[in-house]
Structures are given as C-alpha cells and as structure tokens.
C-alpha cells in the first residue's frame, strides 16, 4: 500500500553504502569546497554592495534575489497571471535541486562519490511536473511560504539534530568504515522532508500540503 509520503510529487531516495572510504570522510570538509563553490555561484541569493555618497553616508544596494529567488518569483507570477508553469524552467529548477541534493548527500557523508553536475549517481530525486490548470490553485502560490512556516520551524530543529548525528557518523566511519544505518535513514529522512516542503512552498509544483514525515 502506497503511503501519502511515498505518493507525494517530490521524492528522494539515496542508496545505502555498504562501505565508505575513511580518508575522503576524514577530509570531506576540504574535498567539498570546489563543488560547493560551483553550487553557491548558481544558487546565490544575490550580491550586495556598499556605496558611499558625497556626504559620507554608506548606502547598501543589492542586485536582487539571484537565480533561485528570481525563478521563484517568476513562477509565482506565471501561475497567478498566466496559469502556466513553463516546462523549461521547471526542468532547470529540478536539475538544480538534484545537484544540490547530491552536494548535500556528499557533505553529510551519505556517499563517497564526488557530486556530479549531470549524473544521478546514488541520489535519486524525482519531482513531478504539474498540470497547472488541474493541479494548482491560481492564488495559493502567494501564501504557500506562510502556510509552510510550521514545517520550516520543525526542519530547523531536525537540521540541527541531523548535524549532530552526522558528526557521530563521521567518527563511526573513521573507526568502522560504515555509516550507522539508523543515522543514515534519519539524515535521508530529513532531506526528504525538506524536499517536500521546498516543492510545495518554493518550487510550487504541488498544492498538496507536505506530510510531517521522515519516510
């Protein structure tokens, strides 16, 4: 029987590794820097500069919300005013989300495979393309972020817990070469929960309220 979480339009599964490399685990914070820079460059929240006026006053100016923020606002406007979700930028948002998930999985020690910008690898993330007229409310995108606040608060605490157990897993891998299964399932579950909230409130691909579930 398919559960509500399993049938949700955004799904995440990561293959459990039987054995992990101790050396790359030890140096993971260093190894991840290049690909983390790449991810930050394509998903940055915008640039901010300081301008000094003739009176000596410092004025902060920004360049906007970056690619991710701009895509969110553009999607809101298209759904509200045109009742459309262009397939090409859905595909871009999905691939960016997949790439971010691979980087996150590598950082959380869930895999030894260096994150690819193209290949799926061991991180399987699926997001269903919506039929806007049938599946999405025209005005709901304006308030989805507000409706998701409870989820966001819960995710903050879950992320803190995940950070702590990943540190525990780091020591376990260095000693045994294995990722404790219960920690692996918890960390993947937090990522799965976060993906569903992202799909609902920011990618705007579904009006189904995300379940409070790690599964």
């Amino acid at each position: 029987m398919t559960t509500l979480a399993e049938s949700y339009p955004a799904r995440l599964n990561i293959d459990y590794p039987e054995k992990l490399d101790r050396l790359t685990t030890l140096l993971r914070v260093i190894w991840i820097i290049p690909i983390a820079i790449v991810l930050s460059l394509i998903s940055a929240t915008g640039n901010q500069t300081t301008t000094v006026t003739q009176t000596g006053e410092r004025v902060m100016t920004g360049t906007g919300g970056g690619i991710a923020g701009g895509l969110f606002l553009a999607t809101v406007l298209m759904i509200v005013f045109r009742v459309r979700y262009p397939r090409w930028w859905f595909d871009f948002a999905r691939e960016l989300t997949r790439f971010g998930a691979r980087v996150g999985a590598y950082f959380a020690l869930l895999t030894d495979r260096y994150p690819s910008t193209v290949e799926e690898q061991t991180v399987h993330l699926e997001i269903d393309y919506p039929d806007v007229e049938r599946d999405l409310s025209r005005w709901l995108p304006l308030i989805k972020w507000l409706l998701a606040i409870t989820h966001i608060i819960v995710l903050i605490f879950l992320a803190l817990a995940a950070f702590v157990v990943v540190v525990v897993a780091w020591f376990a891998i260095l000693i045994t070469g294995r990722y404790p299964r219960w920690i692996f399932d918890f960390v993947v579950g937090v990522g799965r929960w976060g993906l569903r909230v992202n799909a609902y409130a920011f990618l705007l691909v579904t009006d189904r309220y995300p379940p409070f579930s790690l599964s």
Side-chain angles (χ1 to χ4, degrees):
M1 181 177 180
T2 303
T3 66
L4 178 62
E6 292 172 341
S7 65
Y8 199 77
R11 300 169 298 280
L12 173 66
N13 287 291
I14 301 177
D15 298 338
Y16 177 72
E18 293 299 330
K19 201 74 173 176
L20 292 170
D21 185 82
R22 291 179 173 88
L23 178 60
T24 59
T25 297
L26 176 66
L27 302 175
R28 186 60 50 91
V29 175
I30 298 175
W31 286 171
I32 201 173
I33 290 175
I35 201 68
I37 292 174
V38 172
L39 178 61
S40 67
L41 288 175
I42 61 176
S43 60
T45 56
N47 298 319
Q48 192 174 63
T49 59
T50 302
T51 303
V52 180
T53 65
Q54 293 180 347
T55 62
E57 182 181 2
R58 299 171 67 88
V59 179
M60 304 297 291
T61 56
T63 58
I67 293 177
L71 191 63
F72 165 70
L73 291 176
T75 304
V76 170
L77 293 175
M78 285 297 291
I79 294 175
V80 170
F81 293 107
R82 297 293 304 276
V83 195
R84 295 185 62 187
Y85 198 134
R87 180 67 195 233
W88 70 270
W89 72 42
F90 165 83
D91 290 339
F92 174 80
R94 181 185 58 191
E95 293 309 314
L96 180 59
T97 303
R98 284 174 171 171
F99 178 45
R102 289 192 291 270
V103 175
Y106 185 70
F107 180 71
L109 312 176
L110 300 172
T111 178
D112 274 345
R113 299 189 64 183
Y114 202 76
S116 169
T117 57
V118 179
E119 297 176 2
E120 184 179 66
Q121 297 179 314
T122 60
V123 181
H124 313 291
L125 188 153
E126 295 296 335
I127 301 175
D128 297 337
Y129 179 66
D131 182 328
V132 178
E133 293 185 357
R134 184 190 66 189
D135 300 330
L136 302 180
S137 168
R138 186 169 188 169
W139 304 105
L140 197 56
L142 297 173
I143 60 170
K144 279 184 175 180
W145 62 272
L146 182 62
L147 298 177
I149 284 180
T150 302
H151 273 285
I152 293 171
I153 292 173
V154 173
L155 280 170
I156 290 173
F157 289 99
L158 287 175
L160 292 174
F163 177 80
V164 172
V165 296
V166 166
V167 173
V168 174
W170 183 78
F171 284 105
I173 295 168
L174 294 181
I175 297 170
T176 68
R178 296 177 61 87
Y179 205 119
R181 186 62 195 242
W182 70 271
I183 296 180
F184 181 90
D185 291 340
F186 175 74
V187 175
V188 174
V190 173
R192 189 178 290 127
W193 192 326
L195 170 66
R196 290 194 292 256
V197 173
N198 187 33
Y200 172 80
F202 303 107
L203 296 179
L204 307 174
V205 297
T206 180
D207 283 350
R208 290 176 57 187
Y209 197 71
F212 289 81
S213 173
L214 295 171
S215 62

